[in-house]
Each structure stands twice: as structure tokens, then as C-alpha cells.
């Protein structure tokens, strides 16, 4: 079927590859759309950039939810259930590399948002000059027309599915944050640390999704940053209980690098350093805690006492290990000397017989 210009959308051409069934569904705000997609370059080879069928999982978006690649909403809204169509897009592809990065992270079992890095997605991109994928970096430097081959699988009205955090509007996400925060705190008090981390993590992802739409370091962005830092530190408290000390050090260091005046970050990092016998680092962090908040002197004194005890235990263990190594070495040396003496006796015995 020949190309047809999609009415009302400049720079788009649609070719129906396989007709769908029924009427075009109502694509109102809140509708959940499930579809397969394949993205290709407009070159002679039709180079494939992404293919959801190759990954094995279809894509899901919610109409009106400010999905970064909003042109997909326009494309899907022209389709029937079961339809497969190819869209040539010229002027609507500039943000595709960012969207592709998120989708690839999901396919790799990672969070679509680098929530533990305390800068927005765009700031990270300009700071490191890379999205982490060479082909996407090239496409980011030189935006090009793209082909999108879409297969519409399912359309669900808002009342027909349970809405997860990713499917919420920004307003709904912000309303969900204090609820998730409270649930996480309750689970922490009950000693259900793994479950608490999931609540804190979900709340952080809600915040970070909203924060990416704000300008970095301006007042709205900073308010969201403060909320995210509070939740991240609660998350770290759970990790301490779960003995995930190096992850605590990683997350608290991220916060400290961006916001060097947060007392709790130094305190939790100090506690983690104590558990992995990083004596100098722990003392430095606790010293910083006292500089920022002298009122924590009693708490710091207690942690330093624990540090001293931990270091004494480690020194004793090291001594025992050293003694064990020395004992083993002496035993090995004695065995070696014994074998040498035995061989020498045999040698002299045989030599004497030859002399006789």
C-alpha cells in the first residue's frame, strides 16, 4: 500500500503492512497501550536499532502520561487492534536515543532511571558525553529520520488495569511518594527491611521521573532532590541492616558529592566503613558529622567505641592468621628438611657400600 501523509502531523508517513480489526479504539488520557515496535535507520540496509520482539517483551505506554517520545501516541492513535504499520518520521526523533536507553536498561534488568545518581538525565548526558551505547551516542549527535514498525496488541481503558507507579501522571506520582514513604517506615520498624527497600525505591523512582522534567538546580528540582535524598538515606538504613555495606557507601557517597552538608549521609557512610574495617574513612566521616552537628557527639562517641572494638577484633584475627601462617610455614620447612635428611642418609649409605 502506498505511503499516505498522516493528517495533522507534519513529517510523518504511514504504510499499513497488515490490517487490523474493528474500529480505531478511543485513545483517551489514561489508556494503556501494549504494542511491539521495531526502530530502523533510513539507510539502504534498514539497520535495526531496537526490536521489542527480539527482546521478547512488548512495550507499554499510557496515553497522556508525558511519555518522552510523544509522537508514538500519535502513531498508535491511528491504528486498529492487530494492525501492523510502518511509519517514516522525519522531525520527531530527536529524543529517541534517550527513550531507547531507558528501554534497553529495562531489558537488561535495570531501572529505566538512574535514580541513585543525583542529577537529572540530561545533566548526566552532558557531563559524561555518552548514553552508554555507541549507536545511540551517534544518533544523539546526528539526529536522523527513522522508521518505526508498530504492531498494536492491546488497548485498555483506565478502569481495566491496575496502575503501577510508571503508569501514573506526575501529580499522581507525587501524591504516591508520602504514602510509599510511610509504608517503608512501617516495614522498617517491623524489621522487614527487604520489603521496606522496595517501597523506598518505588518512591524514589516516582520522584526521579518527575524531576527529569524540571531544570537542574532550580527551586522545583531542588525540592524533589531533597525528597529523593531523604528516601535514599532511609533505603541505606535498610541496607545497613541487610549488611550491604558497600552499596551504602556507594549511595551515600553519591549524595555527599552533590550535597556535602547532609549529616545523615556522613553518619551512615561512617557506620558502613566501620563494618568493613575502613578505620581512617570512618573516623573522617564521624569527624565531619561533629563539624556539621555537634549535638551528635554522644552518638558519634558510641560509633567510635564500636569502631575501636571492631579494629581490636580485626587485629586479633590478623594475629591468629599470621600465627597460623607461621606455624604452617614451620611445619612445611620441617617436613622439607626431614625429606632432605632422609635422602642424604640414603645417598651416603649407598656411597659407603660402593666404597667397601
Amino acid at each position: 500500500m502506498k505511503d499516505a501523509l498522516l493528517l495533522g502531523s507534519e513529517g510523518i508517513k504511514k504504510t499499513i503492512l497488515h490490517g487490523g480489526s474493528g474500529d480505531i479504539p478511543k485513545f483517551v488520557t489514561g489508556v494503556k497501550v501494549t504494542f511491539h515496535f521495531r526502530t530502523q535507520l533510513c539507510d539502504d540496509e534498514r539497520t535495526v536499532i531496537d526490536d521489542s520482539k527480539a527482546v521478547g517483551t512488548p512495550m507499554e505506554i499510557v496515553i497522556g502520561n508525558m511519555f518522552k517520545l510523544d509522537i508514538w501516541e500519535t502513531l498508535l492513535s491511528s491504528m486498529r487492534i492487530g494492525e501492523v504499520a510502518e511509519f517514516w518520521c522525519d522531525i520527531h526523533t530527536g529524543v529517541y536515543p534517550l527513550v531507547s536507553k531507558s528501554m534497553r536498561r529495562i531489558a537488561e534488568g535495570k531501572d529505566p532511571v538512574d535514580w541513585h545518581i543525583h542529577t537529572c538525565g540530561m545533566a548526566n548526558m552532558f557531563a559524561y558525553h555518552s548514553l552508554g551505547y555507541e549507536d545511540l551516542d551517534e544518533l544523539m549527535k546526528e539526529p536522523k529520520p527513522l522508521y518505526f514498525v508498530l504492531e498494536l496488541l492491546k488497548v485498555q481503558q483506565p478502569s481495566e488495569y491496575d496502575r503501577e507507579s510508571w503508569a501514573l501522571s506526575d501529580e499522581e506520582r507525587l501524591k504516591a511518594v508520602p504514602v510509599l514513604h510511610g509504608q517503608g517506615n512501617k516495614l522498617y520498624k517491623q524489621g522487614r527491611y527487604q520489603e521496606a527497600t522496595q517501597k523506598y525505591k518505588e518512591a524514589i523512582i516516582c520522584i526521579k521521573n518527575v524531576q527529569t522534567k524540571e531544570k537542574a538546580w532550580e527551586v522545583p528540582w531542588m525540592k524533589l532532590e531533597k525528597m529523593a535524598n531523604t528516601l535514599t538515606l532511609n533505603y541505606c538504613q535498610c541496607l545497613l541492616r541487610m549488611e550491604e555495606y558497600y552499596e551504602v557507601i556507594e549511595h551515600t557517597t553519591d549524595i555527599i558529592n552533590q550535597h556535602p552538608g547532609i549529616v545523615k549521609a556522613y553518619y551512615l557512610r561512617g557506620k558502613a566503613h566501620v563494618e568493613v574495617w575502613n578505620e581512617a574513612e570512618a573516623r573522617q566521616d564521624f569527624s565531619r558529622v561533629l563539624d556539621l552537628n555537634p549535638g551528635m557527639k554522644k552518638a558519634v562517641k558510641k560509633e567510635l567505641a564500636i569502631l575501636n572494638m571492631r579494629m581490636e577484633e580485626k587485629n586479633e584475627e590478623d594475629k591468629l592468621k599470621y600465627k597460623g601462617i607461621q606455624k604452617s610455614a614451620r611445619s612445611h620447612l620441617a617436613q622439607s628438611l626431614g625429606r632432605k635428611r632422609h635422602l642424604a642418609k640414603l645417598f651416603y649409605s649407598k656411597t659407603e657400600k660402593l666404597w667397601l
Side-chain angles (χ1 to χ4, degrees), residues 71-300:
I71 190 60
W72 273 7
E73 294 187 11
T74 302
L75 306 183
L76 290 163
S77 297
S78 74
M79 300 177 69
R80 293 174 169 81
I81 301 296
E83 180 181 324
V84 181
E86 178 184 87
F87 298 88
W88 174 86
C89 296
D90 184 12
I91 59 174
H92 307 277
T93 60
V95 298
Y96 183 78
L98 294 172
V99 175
S100 177
K101 174 189 174 182
S102 295
M103 293 187 293
R104 291 183 187 188
R105 286 180 63 84
I106 291 171
E108 293 165 3
K110 301 174 183 176
D111 289 329
V113 180
D114 297 326
W115 60 268
H116 64 281
I117 300 176
H118 297 274
T119 55
C120 72
M122 291 297 287
N124 285 333
M125 183 186 71
F126 289 123
Y128 297 102
H129 306 287
S130 176
L131 294 173
Y133 303 92
E134 188 175 344
D135 59 337
L136 298 183
D137 288 340
E138 288 298 317
L139 196 57
M140 197 75 194
K141 291 174 187 175
E142 298 182 29
K144 302 172 183 177
L146 296 173
Y147 282 111
F148 297 120
V149 179
L150 306 181
E151 179 183 355
L152 183 57
L153 302 176
K154 186 165 55 176
V155 175
Q156 295 170 281
Q157 299 302 315
S159 60
E160 296 176 344
Y161 68 96
D162 294 328
R163 303 181 73 186
E164 300 174 20
S165 61
W166 66 267
L168 302 176
S169 67
D170 287 350
E171 184 179 357
E172 289 170 326
R173 284 190 180 109
L174 292 178
K175 286 181 179 179
V177 168
V179 176
L180 292 166
H181 191 165
Q183 291 172 343
N185 289 351
K186 184 176 180 180
L187 289 166
Y188 178 85
K189 290 176 182 177
Q190 294 173 350
R192 295 158 66 182
Y193 306 120
Q194 183 65 53
E195 294 171 71
T197 61
Q198 296 306 313
K199 296 296 181 182
Y200 292 139
K201 193 172 181 179
E202 190 175 350
I204 293 164
I205 291 172
C206 283
I207 292 170
K208 289 299 178 181
N209 273 304
V210 177
Q211 192 183 31
T212 57
K213 296 158 192 171
E214 301 290 349
K215 191 171 181 180
W217 303 105
E218 292 194 351
V219 173
W221 188 91
M222 287 300 297
K223 286 181 178 179
L224 293 168
E225 182 78 349
K226 185 176 180 181
M227 292 166 62
N229 287 339
T230 299
L231 286 159
T232 302
L233 292 172
N234 284 10
Y235 177 82
C236 287
Q237 282 186 268
C238 293
L239 293 180
L240 278 174
R241 295 285 190 172
M242 295 160 62
E243 300 183 1
E244 299 289 347
Y245 305 122
Y246 289 104
E247 191 175 347
V248 173
I249 292 170
E250 178 186 350
H251 291 310
T252 51
T253 299
D254 284 341
I255 292 177
I256 289 167
N257 287 341
Q258 294 293 325
H259 309 282
I262 299 180
V263 177
K264 189 174 179 180
Y266 287 102
Y267 184 72
L268 294 179
R269 189 172 72 171
K271 287 174 71 70
H273 279 310
V274 168
E275 295 299 331
V276 295
W277 300 296
N278 293 340
E279 182 178 12
E281 291 86 349
R283 293 189 186 280
Q284 186 176 359
D285 279 342
F286 289 134
S287 176
R288 185 65 177 140
V289 168
L290 291 179
D291 289 340
L292 293 169
N293 186 356
M296 291 190 67
K297 185 177 180 179
K298 186 175 180 180
V300 169

Side-chain angles (χ1 to χ4, degrees), residues 1 28 123 203-204 302 342:
M1 189 176 294
V28 299
I204 293 164
K302 178 181 176 182
H342 178 67

Side-chain angles (χ1 to χ4, degrees), residues 296-311:
M296 291 190 67
K297 185 177 180 179
K298 186 175 180 180
V300 169
K301 185 177 180 181
K302 178 181 176 182
E303 295 300 333
L304 290 174
I306 294 172
L307 174 61
N308 291 333
M309 182 179 68
R310 295 281 291 154
M311 295 312 300

